[in-house]
Amino acid sequence: MTKRVVISALCGVLLVLSTGCGDECVDVFDCRSDKGPPPAGKDWTCRSGNCELRDVQRPPEGDAGTEGDAGTEQDAGTEVDAGTDAGTADGGGVVVIGTGAKGDACTSSADCAAGLRCEGATEAMTCQALLVAFTAMDDTDEMAAVVTRFDEPAPTRLSDAEVNSLYPRWNPAGNRIAFVQGATETGTSTGNLAGELVARDVPLAAGAPTMLANGTTGSTEGFLYLEWEPGNSLLYVRREGDSISGISRVPAEGGTVEEASALGSSPEWRNGNAFAFSTAAVGISTATVGGTPTPLAIAGRTAEQPHYNRVNAQLLFLRPDDTRPEGMNTALYIVPVGGAAVQTIAEFSTAAVEGGSVDSYIANPTWAPDGSWVAYVRAYFFNPTTGEPELCGAGASPCAGDPGNIIFLRRINPADGAPVGDEVSFAEGATLPSFSPDGHHVAYIQTGQLYVQQIDPAAGAKVGDPIVHPLGDYTLQTSRGDDHRPRWQPR
């Protein structure tokens, strides 16, 4: 499949959609390039890595400026399951912030100030800075799962330098970290090797990590969209040739791998036992370990990439804007507590310029743990009247001097999931935002480096300058979207 210019640029800078940048499609531009123009009355859309035709749904004449049916999805007011699955959580909660400074004695993390956790031997526990984990490329072009204290650039590789590693994920207690090592991802449908899913205790000690599963026991050619905390076990999406679909579960200490869903991608734990995921056929479904998945019809059949917050289990998700012909015009929504009408958080934007328009769509959403804020990325591109779309920030387009992507924050009313006030620009040229577990810091990736910005969680305002982790021997990766989002150590 030949990628068009804008897709290659997005894959290198933003990697916004759930499928990554392998042989499978990334968005509608891939499908049009590979499959050709769609038939009359149809449009291509990219779902779970596959190009599919869908009916064009355009608003009635005169209604082009309205939201259409986005806020009143069919069955939105009568969906019973949404009230169950998006109700109060039985895990998580508001994090208690203490006054203990770094190095002060503590008995629990509640004694420590924001950004710190209580750790060490029982008789000598102290408040220490939280770790952040990420995937980077080292100076030999090998991939490396890395951890570092958020407040100082001191990266530590989780695997031997001779073995590549990817996708570090924390357990709920923050004292164990899983990652994939020895994998080969070719970017095509052949030659992929799963490697091993392994885990190490934290603080790190010398010795080989413990293997939890491999390609044979896990029945997969890759451990993709891996998730652990706040679950009691690990979830991943299976890969087989061109197919990236189907979710498996690995016990926290290893053992028999179980199928959690025959289809689906982008799993997201709600708590220790319940999770959500998306499929091309029905959109988002919810399930419990060992239970039967239930479609969340209120979100719509094209909904994808679900994200729960940790207090009231409101569900954040993306969905193409079906009132527009472009299948990649993605908007952001929330299923609120009680299953009331879906709330619209951020939509596709367009601004006319000479020769076309500068458009944006939404990607890489995430929650503040207490559900008071969401962060997301707007990807900006020049959409010419004739010719190929081009990412802003490069080339000779009318937006060549503007950033190609910007992180935004938006306040959310926890009672009903409604946005409060306008979206706030947070970081230009940045992607993959990640809130700390106490909600007082946001980590993100910019120019291959880790940035950590302290915020006032009440106002969403920045506090001081960001902490910048220089490139050194590592360049942080963004090429698989949420797979490469920085992950904070639980507090």
Side-chain angles (χ1 to χ4, degrees), residues 253-268:
E253 299 303 324
T256 303
V257 178
E258 301 174 352
E259 182 175 88
S261 174
L263 299 173
S265 185
S266 302
E268 170 80 355

Side-chain angles (χ1 to χ4, degrees), residues 222-303:
F223 294 94
L224 304 178
Y225 309 112
L226 181 66
E227 295 296 334
W228 196 349
E229 68 94 19
N232 293 329
S233 53
L234 294 95
L235 297 175
Y236 67 89
V237 176
R238 299 185 295 272
R239 177 168 194 158
E240 181 180 3
D242 288 330
S243 175
I244 299 178
S245 185
I247 300 168
S248 292
R249 184 180 74 90
V250 184
E253 299 303 324
T256 303
V257 178
E258 301 174 352
E259 182 175 88
S261 174
L263 299 173
S265 185
S266 302
E268 170 80 355
W269 285 111
R270 170 184 167 185
N271 50 39
N273 187 55
F275 62 97
F277 61 95
S278 56
T279 60
V282 299
I284 293 171
S285 294
T286 60
T288 56
V289 172
T292 301
T294 302
L296 190 61
I298 189 174
R301 294 176 63 87
T302 59

Side-chain angles (χ1 to χ4, degrees), residues 373-388:
W373 293 91
V374 295
Y376 50 89
V377 176
R378 280 194 178 274
Y380 291 87
F381 62 99
F382 173 55
N383 198 4
T385 304
T386 59
E388 305 294 331

Side-chain angles (χ1 to χ4, degrees), residues 134 136-139 144 146 155-157 448-449 470-476:
F134 49 85
M137 180 179 288
D138 67 18
D139 55 5
V146 176
T156 299
R157 191 178 188 131
Q449 300 177 115
L471 287 177
D473 296 333
Y474 296 105
T475 302
L476 274 68

Side-chain angles (χ1 to χ4, degrees), residues 86-88 309 311-314 334-341 343 367 370-372 411-420:
T88 58
N309 67 41
V311 174
N312 56 23
Q314 289 178 346
I334 286 176
V335 175
V337 172
Q343 298 283 1
W367 281 104
D370 66 356
S372 61
R411 177 177 282 283
I412 302 299
N413 180 351
D416 59 8
V420 179

